[in-house]
Amino acid sequence: MEPNVTGAALGKAPPRLRRVGLVATAAVAAVATVLPGTASANPTTAAGAWREVVVTGADADSAAAAVSAAGGRVLASLPVVHGVAARLPQGAVLGPQWVVVPQRELRVAAAKAADTGGPASTVRQTLGLPRDGNEGRGVTVAVVDTGIADVPDLAGKVVKRVDVTGKGGGDGYGHGTFMAGLIAGSGAASGGAYRGVAPAAKLIDVKVADAQGNTDLITVLRGLQWVSQHAGEVQVLNLSLASGSPLPYQIDPLTQGLETLWRRGVTVVVPAGNDGPGAGTVSSPGNDPVLLTAGGLDESGTAARTDDVVATWSGRGPTWQGDAKPDLAAPAAHLVSLRSPGSVADVSNPQS
C-alpha cells in the first residue's frame, strides 16, 4: 500500500489545511519512487550515443579531468559527492578508482484518493507540544522537494528559494508545500488549530522536482550541492524521497552527498520509505546509518501514545546491509497540512 501524497481543496478556494493519508512523520515523508530500469534520455550525435552518469572518487576536479580524458563532457561539478555529473560516450571506461553511476529518473509518487477513513492527526498534541508553542527559533530547514507555494501559513518564513529544475518557482505538484506546513506552518489558515512542529523555524525552498513530480539523480545532487555551498545557513535538511537505489550506501552518490552535509553540521532527515510492512523494507537513503531515518506512525486519531501503531506502509528494518533502521517513528497518517492551490495534488483530491 502506498499512501497519499496530498491534501487538496476545490478550485480557487483560499489556501487551507486539509486531511490526507501521507507517509510523513511530522517533517518527513517517503513519497518518491524510482522508475525501475530507467535513465535519462541521452542525446545521439554524429559521434554516437552518450550516457549521463555521476562520477565519484577523489575530488570533483580530478573527476572532471578523468571525464575529459575519456572524451566526455562535464555537466555539473559536484564537490558534495567528490565528483561530477557528466556525459560519457557509450563504451567509455574510466579507471578503477572511479565509481560511475548511471543517471536515474526519480518521480514523486502520484496522488491517490485521500485517506478519509479516520480523524485528523493531532501531531503537536501527540508530541507533547503546547498549542501556542514557538518551537524552531534559530533553526533554518532546507526543504528539498517540489517547491513551496506562497501561502499565508508560510508568510515570512521562506528566506530563500532555489530552483535547480529550471522549470520556474512555485509548487505545481503540491508535496513540498505540504511538507513545509508540517514543519513550520503558522496555523494562519486554521485559526491556529494546525501548526507545524517548529513554527518559528525559517525555510529554504530547494526545488528539485517539476510540476509533475519528476526529477532525477543529477538534479537532486545539484540541489544538495547548493545546500553544501550554503551549509552555514542551514541546520536541518528534509529530503522526503525514497530513491530505491540498489547500491550500497557507501558508494551511492545520493547517500554520500547527504553524509557530506551531515559531517558539515546539517542534520539530515530522511524517510524509511513506503514499502512496509515486511522486514528489510527501509528504502535508500533511509538505509544509511549516518542519517536520521524516520518511520511513520498511525496515531489512531488520538493524542494518546497507547493506541499508536507503526503504519503498515512504513519501511521496516534491518536494512539489506544489516543496519538497524529506522531511528525513530513519528506521526504520519491522516495528517493535516497546507495545499498548493491549483497544483496536481490539489486538483486530484477535491474530497480532501
Side-chain angles (χ1 to χ4, degrees):
M1 170 182 176
E2 184 173 71
N4 281 308
V5 178
T6 181
L10 294 172
K12 297 181 180 179
R16 60 184 186 270
L17 301 169
R18 311 301 297 169
R19 181 183 308 168
V20 299
L22 174 69
V23 179
T25 72
V28 184
V31 294
T33 59
V34 169
L35 305 179
T38 64
S40 291
N42 294 304
T44 300
T45 68
W50 299 73
R51 57 196 174 108
E52 288 187 359
V53 297
V54 177
V55 179
T56 63
D59 58 73
D61 290 342
S62 298
V67 166
S68 297
R73 180 165 70 89
V74 173
L75 301 176
S77 179
L78 299 171
V80 71
V81 295
H82 311 292
V84 297
R87 281 186 181 142
L88 288 176
Q90 290 287 3
V93 177
L94 301 185
Q97 70 271 36
W98 302 106
V99 176
V100 179
V101 177
Q103 165 76 307
R104 306 179 69 206
E105 292 180 358
L106 308 179
R107 183 177 177 276
V108 174
K112 294 180 171 64
D115 178 2
T116 57
S121 179
T122 52
V123 177
R124 287 186 61 86
Q125 295 95 320
T126 298
L127 298 179
L129 301 176
R131 176 185 171 92
D132 298 323
N134 207 26
E135 299 82 9
R137 185 172 301 279
V139 175
T140 298
V141 182
V143 182
V144 182
D145 214 294
T146 61
I148 299 176
D150 185 9
V151 295
D153 264 65
L154 302 175
K157 296 181 180 295
V158 182
V159 294
K160 287 188 179 179
R161 297 184 185 272
V162 183
D163 174 24
V164 298
T165 69
K167 302 295 179 65
D171 183 9
Y173 193 75
H175 183 259
T177 303
F178 190 100
M179 295 309 305
L182 292 174
I183 297 167
S186 68
S190 63
Y194 297 104
R195 304 170 71 228
V197 296
K202 298 297 185 182
L203 303 174
I204 296 179
D205 172 10
V206 183
K207 182 174 180 175
V208 298
D210 65 18
Q212 299 303 314
N214 296 318
T215 186
D216 54 56
L217 175 62
I218 291 174
T219 300
V220 174
L221 292 179
R222 289 179 61 225
L224 299 187
Q225 180 59 43
W226 187 93
V227 176
S228 178
Q229 292 168 340
H230 299 81
E233 306 170 31
V234 178
Q235 286 74 51
V236 178
L237 181 145
N238 187 89
L239 179 67
S240 297
L241 302 177
S243 77
S245 172
L247 298 174
Y249 68 84
Q250 294 93 334
I251 62 171
D252 186 336
L254 180 57
T255 52
Q256 290 306 291
L258 294 169
E259 282 195 19
T260 296
L261 294 174
W262 186 281
R263 293 186 177 105
R264 296 196 63 189
V266 178
T267 299
V268 178
V269 187
V270 292
N274 289 3
D275 297 329
T281 52
V282 172
S283 299
S284 179
N287 63 323
D288 190 321
V290 172
L291 311 177
L292 182 61
T293 303
L297 286 179
D298 187 334
E299 298 173 272
S300 302
T302 75
R305 307 281 180 92
T306 54
D307 58 0
D308 293 353
V309 295
V310 177
T312 56
W313 34 258
S314 185
R316 268 77 162 172
T319 70
W320 68 270
Q321 291 180 266
D323 293 298
K325 284 284 181 171
D327 301 297
L328 55 84
H334 310 290
L335 296 183
V336 174
S337 191
L338 302 173
R339 71 183 185 96
S340 175
S343 66
V344 170
D346 183 12
V347 300
S348 297
N349 293 278
Q351 75 277 24
S352 296

